[in-house]
Amino acid sequence: MTTKTAMMYWRDALRFVCSVQFWRMAVLWTFALVFSHLQLFVRALFSRKSHSYPRCSPQPIFTTTTTSMPVCIVTGATSGLGAAAAHALSKEGFYVVLAGRSSDLLSEIIREIKKRNRDAHLKAFQVDLSSFQSMLKFKNSLKQWLLNSDMHPSIQLLINNAGILATSCRFTAEGFDQMMGTNYIGAFFLTNLLLPLLRSSPVPSRIVNVTSFTHRCVFDLQVDEESLSGICFSKSKQYPFAHIYEYSKICLLLFSYELHRQLYLMDKSHPVSVIAVDPGAVETKIMREIPSQLSHLALVVLKVLGFLHSPESGVEPTVDAALAPPVSIFSLILVSSGYYLQISLTLKGNPYC
């Protein structure tokens, strides 16, 4: 790094530290994380109930001619929690479909999973959750792959894990803010595209939406077209990236609740359960656009405080949610690997185990 490049880097880092969004992350996000841990600690202190919940093995799909493995789709599977989820669920007996923006990274993740689990059944599709056309192409390719593979034309598990933290204003091809387009609108659109495949499953199917503790920092929720598309945020002098990230996560959380309510009312014979999970603070590449020295410092502080976990331990809440048995009313707070996880859902159907 030349002297000029170093000076530019530190100038940008200093400007970043002086921004309102940096202090929103440093103060409000830390407070939200501490509050989550404190809430969990108090509940565990005064509750005699066990915080360990059973996992149910996925059911094979039986047809008149064949028996096929249950299919699981994981978005954002090129690194971090997505890659860890793909590996963990492949060991549980799912045929895991990895969806991500980079075909090279997907191939690399598949090779790594195969090294650790030779029996893993994996398939990769390149898809960009900020592009409607890309998601439509993915749906058609997925249906064709299921047909060509002689598998049951359905999916049993969808994990909406993909997400970004963009520090500059960018727009999708459809004109949405890219962070809102990826974190919320993309998950919304893809879920609705794949609902027919989820509903056609002969065994109970499930959607797991990965949210964030940062949703607690939203104090002025506005539900209108400009807010949901992120267009209203582009009017600010400085791009409010921390605020938009929080907003995208609370929208995803509310979507999870409403989607479950609608699915239960629409089709009680083949219920699709929807679960929102909060994995807490996990060491991923989500802060890749933040100056490296600052993101490294944040990770060190979180690790010293005992809040930071690796993707391998951080994915446990997602796997817990994916394999949790359905119950009539299920609203609980779990502790998994020492960090906060909240699952809220209302289910009614046949036993999953």
Side-chain angles (χ1 to χ4, degrees):
M1 181 183 294
T2 63
T3 303
K4 184 178 180 180
T5 303
M7 290 179 63
M8 290 178 62
Y9 170 82
W10 286 110
R11 183 191 63 190
D12 293 340
L14 181 61
R15 184 184 296 117
F16 190 88
V17 170
C18 294
S19 68
V20 173
Q21 297 304 304
F22 169 80
W23 289 104
R24 186 181 185 99
M25 293 171 60
V27 178
L28 291 186
W29 289 18
T30 302
F31 176 78
L33 185 60
V34 171
F35 181 80
S36 297
H37 279 264
L38 182 61
Q39 184 184 46
L40 182 61
F41 174 76
V42 171
R43 181 177 289 261
L45 188 64
F46 293 100
S47 175
R48 296 182 179 180
K49 295 182 179 180
S50 171
H51 290 277
S52 177
Y53 297 89
R55 291 180 177 180
C56 298
S57 300
Q59 299 181 28
I61 310 302
F62 296 102
T63 64
T64 55
T65 57
T66 61
T67 301
S68 59
M69 299 175 66
V71 176
C72 163
I73 298 176
V74 181
T75 66
T78 53
S79 65
L81 285 174
H87 176 240
L89 292 168
S90 70
K91 294 194 299 182
E92 295 291 341
F94 281 101
Y95 201 126
V96 181
V97 174
L98 295 84
R101 287 185 295 178
S102 170
S103 56
D104 292 337
L105 290 177
L106 287 171
S107 299
E108 183 180 338
I109 293 299
I110 286 181
R111 285 194 297 269
E112 291 179 3
I113 294 175
K114 282 286 188 179
K115 287 180 181 179
R116 301 163 66 185
N117 179 18
R118 294 182 179 180
D119 298 326
H121 291 77
L122 308 167
K123 177 67 177 178
F125 288 94
Q126 186 176 11
V127 58
D128 183 357
L129 261 71
S130 67
S131 167
F132 286 2
Q133 289 300 318
S134 180
M135 287 184 280
L136 285 167
K137 181 181 178 182
F138 167 62
K139 184 200 73 169
N140 295 331
S141 300
L142 176 68
K143 291 175 68 175
Q144 189 62 47
W145 170 71
L146 290 171
L147 180 63
N148 295 341
S149 303
D150 293 325
M151 300 178 69
H152 192 274
S154 66
I155 58 178
Q156 286 62 53
L157 179 61
L158 169 62
I159 298 182
N160 286 313
N161 166 78
I164 62 170
L165 176 61
T167 57
S168 60
C169 184
R170 301 189 291 268
F171 295 96
T172 68
E174 290 76 25
F176 303 125
D177 174 87
Q178 189 175 36
M179 190 151 39
M180 284 296 295
T182 302
N183 297 0
Y184 167 60
I185 298 174
F188 177 95
F189 188 75
L190 182 64
T191 299
N192 281 278
L193 281 180
L194 299 180
L195 269 181
L197 295 177
L198 286 158
R199 285 200 182 108
S200 63
S201 173
V203 300
S205 55
R206 177 164 294 170
I207 300 166
V208 177
N209 291 329
V210 180
T211 61
S212 168
F213 58 89
T214 59
H215 79 268
R216 294 179 179 274
C217 302
V218 178
F219 307 112
D220 54 346
L221 182 63
Q222 299 290 328
V223 183
D224 53 53
E225 185 176 348
E226 282 201 346
S227 298
L228 293 177
S229 65
I231 296 175
C232 67
F233 298 112
S234 64
K235 300 175 182 179
S236 304
K237 291 183 179 180
Q238 289 188 337
Y239 184 63
F241 61 88
H243 190 186
I244 298 174
Y245 184 82
E246 301 158 7
Y247 194 83
S248 69
K249 290 302 181 179
I250 198 170
C251 286
L252 186 60
L253 182 63
L254 296 175
F255 168 59
S256 303
Y257 297 153
E258 177 61 17
L259 180 62
H260 178 79
R261 187 186 70 83
Q262 291 188 13
L263 293 179
Y264 170 73
L265 292 176
M266 289 172 58
D267 191 355
K268 293 184 180 181
S269 60
H270 297 285
V272 180
S273 57
V274 184
I275 307 180
V277 299
D278 174 7
V282 184
E283 188 173 2
T284 66
K285 296 180 180 179
I286 191 70
M287 294 193 293
R288 62 168 62 90
E289 294 191 23
I290 293 175
S292 57
Q293 296 296 334
L294 295 178
S295 60
H296 178 71
L297 176 61
L299 294 177
V300 170
V301 171
L302 288 172
K303 186 173 292 185
V304 170
L305 294 175
F307 293 157
L308 186 68
H309 295 269
S310 66
E312 289 71 27
S313 62
V315 78
E316 290 299 314
T318 303
V319 179
D320 285 341
L323 301 179
V327 292
S328 296
I329 299 178
F330 195 35
S331 181
L332 52 114
I333 293 180
L334 296 175
V335 60
S336 184
S337 302
Y339 53 85
Y340 175 78
L341 161 66
Q342 182 172 348
I343 298 178
S344 298
L345 67 156
T346 304
L347 304 177
K348 187 174 182 181
N350 296 325
Y352 193 60
C353 298

